[in-house]
Amino acid sequence: MTYNFDIITDRTHSGCYKYDLRQAVFGTTDVTPMWVADMDFQTPSFILDAIRERCEHPVLGYTVRPSAFASSFRNWVNDHYGWKPDQTRIGFVPGIVAGIGLAIQTFTSPGDKIIVQPPVYPPFFNSPNNNGRRVAWNPLREVNGRFEMDFEQLNSLIDNRTRMFILCNPHNPGGTVWSRETLLTLSEICNKHGILVISDEIHADMTYAGSRHIPYASLSEAAAMNSVTFMSPSKTFNIPGLICSYSVIPDPVLFDRFQATTQNIDVSGNIFAYVAAEAAYTQGDEWRRQMVDYIENNARTVVDYCRDSIPGVSAMMPESSFLVWLDFSELKLPNEALRRLLIDKAKLGLNDGPTFGPGGEGHQRLNVGCPRPVVVKALEQIEKAVRSL
Ligand SMILES: Cc1ncc(COP(=O)(O)O)c(C=O)c1O
């Protein structure tokens, strides 16, 4: 079956964050919203059908977590990555950001240092800050159009209060898929210093055909035993509103400590999240493959268009997912002027670069998880706005 990702679906007034918060965030509804990281594609019918089928039973009472929750996930990561996590160490978390917050509370103490690699998804540093921990920055470097880790700077950062490293694997906003060599070097450093690695792999299943995602915990026994991995079908199958994510903690002591945290606050999933996750992981691969192909073409369209037609603007080609990191720094605009140019002239609602931490200045993040004509129109609007300067 060939799926059609060109369909435009009106999401306004559906309680949709991306569309219905435009006035609050951009001060106007007159922008095409290409910010929040969900996709404008319809959630695939095999997931909607599974939810409908569950609704055939007219009682939506307290529910037990089905065994298929863990087994369908395990089969999926085994089929895609050759990773075989122990099923008894797979848990549920109500979203990965919540999972990161719970991991910070479980495994670190106030005042401890947590390393993050900016520019990066803002909760990676907001969550440590909000929990009274200290953020240690290990900025990424852009080398030949992609991000690379700076291990020399990383080594120089570490002291006896450094407890945790939050890894974005693949990276948001760069779409970088980390190589085995990079991950191995990282794991050597973190293991040597007893720094627990939290690997957020929410974008893993959208890795493009030319790259290969490596689950951090699949690197080696030592990496597995010093890590917490979070994964989710939410981004890939466009179901983040169902709040359904996985934790994998191979070390039994760490697993029990995290389990205690989640049990103490009675974390549990909802009926539809379990149903949707199982449908995604058992029926979703063909849809996923076609969707990834589509978003890769969208991203390529952005990179080529910027290079060929928008002077002073360039785009980093992602290797995974639907987020494109745009570089406007050659325009030498103060950030507020750049923001206004995009809202007022280009009529686009993007994510503002500085919200991703150091290295975000002069950048914006564009979400291309939408029909291609929307992407092309957005590029034409950026071109027109930039040429008006
Ligand atoms: C790297 C990363 N982690 C986590 C999330 C959000 O995850 P959740 O909705 O499960 O909290 C996002 C969403 O953009 C993300 O990009």
Side-chain angles (χ1 to χ4, degrees):
M1 176 173 179
T2 303
Y3 294 100
N4 182 358
F5 297 99
D6 288 330
I7 297 171
I8 294 193
T9 305
D10 182 3
R11 297 182 66 191
T12 54
H13 310 305
S14 64
C16 160
Y17 209 102
K18 191 194 264 174
Y19 284 74
D20 294 339
L21 287 187
R22 279 178 293 185
Q23 184 68 45
V25 173
F26 302 104
T28 172
T29 54
D30 189 20
V31 285
T32 303
M34 301 178 84
W35 59 306
V36 175
D38 65 15
M39 301 190 286
D40 288 342
F41 307 137
Q42 292 178 8
T43 299
S45 55
F46 48 86
I47 293 183
L48 298 176
D49 288 345
I51 291 172
R52 273 189 208 105
E53 195 185 315
R54 178 58 188 82
C55 286
E56 290 299 310
H57 192 289
V59 181
L60 302 177
Y62 285 120
T63 186
V64 287
R65 188 181 307 166
S67 60
F69 179 75
S71 62
S72 59
F73 170 79
R74 187 178 184 275
N75 292 341
W76 177 270
V77 295
N78 183 26
D79 290 350
H80 288 82
Y81 313 115
W83 181 36
K84 298 182 179 62
D86 177 344
Q87 223 157 282
T88 64
R89 304 271 189 270
I90 298 171
F92 168 88
V93 280
I96 290 183
V97 174
I100 290 173
L102 293 169
I104 288 171
Q105 291 175 4
T106 306
F107 300 118
T108 68
S109 304
D112 281 349
K113 288 189 186 167
I114 299 178
I115 302 176
V116 300
Q117 298 184 304
V120 73
Y121 181 56
F124 278 34
F125 47 90
N126 291 334
S127 187
N129 280 332
N130 294 339
N131 280 288
R133 275 60 168 176
R134 288 179 289 165
V135 170
W137 301 110
N138 174 221
L140 295 170
R141 291 181 315 190
E142 194 178 327
V143 181
N144 298 328
R146 69 191 294 280
F147 281 132
E148 284 191 2
M149 295 188 192
D150 182 346
F151 292 119
E152 207 177 305
Q153 196 269 358
L154 174 62
N155 273 314
S156 74
L157 269 183
I158 296 169
D159 63 18
N160 60 6
R161 288 304 300 271
T162 313
R163 298 271 183 270
M164 182 177 273
F165 183 105
I166 310 181
L167 170 68
C168 202
N169 179 32
H171 190 73
N172 167 9
T176 319
V177 173
W178 302 115
S179 68
R180 182 174 299 277
E181 194 192 356
T182 296
L183 293 175
L184 279 172
T185 308
L186 180 67
S187 77
E188 270 168 32
I189 296 171
C190 290
N191 283 8
K192 179 171 158 204
H193 296 281
I195 298 170
L196 181 66
V197 175
I198 307 298
S199 187
D200 176 341
E201 306 194 3
I202 198 168
H203 295 282
D205 296 329
M206 293 178 287
T207 297
Y208 303 165
S211 298
R212 184 155 175 73
H213 171 74
I214 299 168
Y216 181 83
S218 73
L219 279 177
S220 67
E221 183 69 3
M225 290 299 172
N226 184 41
S227 66
V228 174
T229 299
F230 293 115
M231 279 193 167
S232 176
S234 62
K235 295 267 179 243
T236 309
F237 295 97
N238 214 22
I239 48 173
L242 288 174
I243 317 290
C244 181
S245 307
Y246 289 80
S247 61
V248 184
I249 310 180
D251 181 86
V253 175
L254 298 179
F255 178 85
D256 285 348
R257 286 176 65 192
F258 192 73
Q259 186 84 339
T261 301
T262 57
Q263 277 169 1
N264 288 346
I265 54 168
D266 200 13
V267 165
S268 59
N270 75 74
I271 296 177
F272 300 124
Y274 295 147
V275 163
E278 185 185 346
Y281 288 144
T282 55
Q283 301 173 55
D285 203 41
E286 182 53 31
W287 186 90
R288 182 198 68 86
R289 246 184 292 143
Q290 292 184 32
M291 182 277 292
V292 171
D293 197 42
Y294 191 93
I295 56 173
E296 178 176 356
N297 277 316
N298 277 359
R300 173 59 61 200
T301 301
V302 174
V303 171
D304 291 350
Y305 194 105
C306 289
R307 186 196 55 228
D308 297 341
S309 307
I310 316 184
V313 181
S314 62
M316 185 178 276
M317 182 63 197
E319 295 154 344
S320 179
S321 201
F322 50 84
L323 304 169
V324 184
W325 190 232
L326 298 178
D327 183 354
F328 293 85
S329 54
E330 263 187 47
L331 299 180
K332 301 211 181 322
L333 292 176
N335 210 76
E336 186 52 20
L338 174 60
R339 223 174 69 81
R340 292 260 56 98
L341 180 80
L342 290 162
I343 297 172
D344 302 335
K345 292 262 176 66
K347 308 271 182 214
L348 295 177
L350 310 184
N351 288 92
D352 200 17
T355 61
F356 293 83
E361 313 78 23
H363 291 74
Q364 298 275 314
R365 193 190 71 179
L366 174 75
N367 179 340
V368 296
C370 58
R372 192 151 314 131
V374 177
V375 174
V376 172
K377 188 154 177 274
L379 290 165
E380 289 166 356
Q381 288 166 199
I382 296 174
E383 181 187 358
K384 199 165 155 216
V386 168
R387 288 191 188 279
S388 76
L389 286 171

